[in-house]
Amino acid sequence: MVSVSTARVLVIEDAEAIGAAVCSALRAVGYEVQHRLDGRQLETDLTKFRPDLVVLDVMLPGRDGFRLLEVIRKSSGAGIVMLTARDGVTDRLRGLESGADDYVGKPFVLAELVARVTAVLRRLGRTPSTVQIDDLVVDADSGVVLRGSSSIELTATELRLLCYLAAQRGRVVSKTQILTAVWGYEDYDPNLVEVHVSAVRRKLEEHGPRLLHTVRGLGYVLRAEE
């Protein structure tokens, strides 16, 4: 297996439930995440945690999001995605003109926020698009999947599924985690996961030994056999 670094995301959101949900969704797609309720530890987090991206709420106790944005821009090249309940164009422009990379209004769909975070990280070159497990190479940006010297054709959904499993390589993920990461919701029929996992597994095994394994009662894992 080729070692690939994991992008680090700092979430600063004072609403605990929202922050927890955002962190869970980001961890589900493979990011290392740290959550703060305010910006009191921001300077320490920038030097010790060294985030590749900060998800930053505007309405915070103490220093608000705009003040924290200034701190980040002075000392870090991290990407910034701002969250706000405000609908005003003025606030959006202020954030973007001050150096934010994207702006998401509340309420938001978690899958969309994760997609925006990933897009910013990719633009900044902070997250790898290519992952290799044994003789399998998955390039999320180009959509190319290779097994040895053979190219594997996948549907769009199968590619999203394989990219997610590749990002989670060596880690068992549940059907619910897959539904959230690939389809954006938890309430789809879990049989969707089984059908698509079976299709991806079959295509991979046409060109080599099993890499996509079922862990009974827990979920699935993409890994090479010992």
Side-chain angles (χ1 to χ4, degrees), residues 81-226:
V81 176
M82 299 195 77
L83 303 178
T84 182
R86 300 177 181 177
D87 296 324
V89 174
T90 301
D91 288 324
R92 293 176 183 269
L93 291 177
R94 180 182 175 187
L96 295 171
E97 290 173 354
S98 298
D101 296 281
D102 205 349
Y103 217 119
V104 179
K106 297 178 182 178
F108 52 82
V109 177
L110 283 172
E112 179 187 359
L113 175 60
V114 171
R116 287 174 178 264
V117 166
T118 299
V120 171
L121 285 168
R122 284 182 177 166
R123 287 202 303 270
L124 296 175
R126 303 297 177 85
T127 183
S129 66
T130 302
V131 176
Q132 181 171 346
I133 302 97
D134 199 33
D135 63 342
L136 173 67
V137 176
V138 182
D139 189 325
D141 283 352
S142 67
V144 171
V145 177
L146 300 174
R147 188 87 197 262
S149 60
S150 301
S151 177
I152 299 176
E153 297 296 325
L154 301 175
T155 67
T157 302
E158 290 168 355
L159 179 62
R160 289 199 304 274
L161 171 60
L162 183 58
C163 286
Y164 172 67
L165 292 170
Q168 301 293 319
R169 58 205 174 280
R171 186 180 306 156
V172 178
V173 291
S174 68
K175 290 181 180 179
T176 299
Q177 288 174 304
I178 293 172
L179 284 167
T180 301
V182 178
W183 281 272
Y185 299 93
E186 296 182 4
D187 55 354
Y188 272 74
D189 184 347
N191 288 332
L192 272 175
V193 176
E194 295 177 11
V195 169
H196 284 84
V197 165
S198 295
V200 171
R201 177 185 285 143
R202 175 179 52 78
K203 292 180 179 181
L204 294 181
E205 291 182 8
E206 289 175 355
H207 304 280
R210 177 160 295 190
L211 292 175
L212 178 48
H213 307 274
T214 299
V215 181
R216 293 192 180 279
L218 295 176
Y220 304 97
V221 58
L222 189 66
R223 68 180 175 218
E225 289 287 19
E226 299 292 336

Side-chain angles (χ1 to χ4, degrees), residues 3-124:
S3 177
V4 179
S5 61
T6 299
R8 296 179 297 276
V9 180
L10 174 63
V11 176
I12 306 179
E13 165 60 67
D14 64 322
E16 292 192 43
I18 294 175
V22 169
C23 290
S24 178
L26 291 170
R27 291 189 182 107
V29 295
Y31 297 132
E32 182 180 348
V33 184
Q34 196 164 87
H35 179 210
R36 301 297 186 200
L37 297 175
D38 55 48
R40 286 180 295 178
Q41 295 181 241
L42 177 61
E43 287 83 354
T44 299
D45 288 331
L46 291 177
T47 57
K48 292 189 175 181
F49 182 57
R50 294 178 293 109
D52 296 294
L53 183 140
V54 181
V55 176
L56 179 61
D57 188 28
V58 169
M59 301 295 290
L60 292 168
R63 294 182 293 179
D64 67 15
F66 294 121
R67 292 181 63 188
L68 296 180
L69 172 59
E70 294 175 1
V71 173
I72 297 168
R73 278 292 162 258
K74 287 179 180 178
S75 58
S76 171
I80 300 174
V81 176
M82 299 195 77
L83 303 178
T84 182
R86 300 177 181 177
D87 296 324
V89 174
T90 301
D91 288 324
R92 293 176 183 269
L93 291 177
R94 180 182 175 187
L96 295 171
E97 290 173 354
S98 298
D101 296 281
D102 205 349
Y103 217 119
V104 179
K106 297 178 182 178
F108 52 82
V109 177
L110 283 172
E112 179 187 359
L113 175 60
V114 171
R116 287 174 178 264
V117 166
T118 299
V120 171
L121 285 168
R122 284 182 177 166
R123 287 202 303 270
L124 296 175

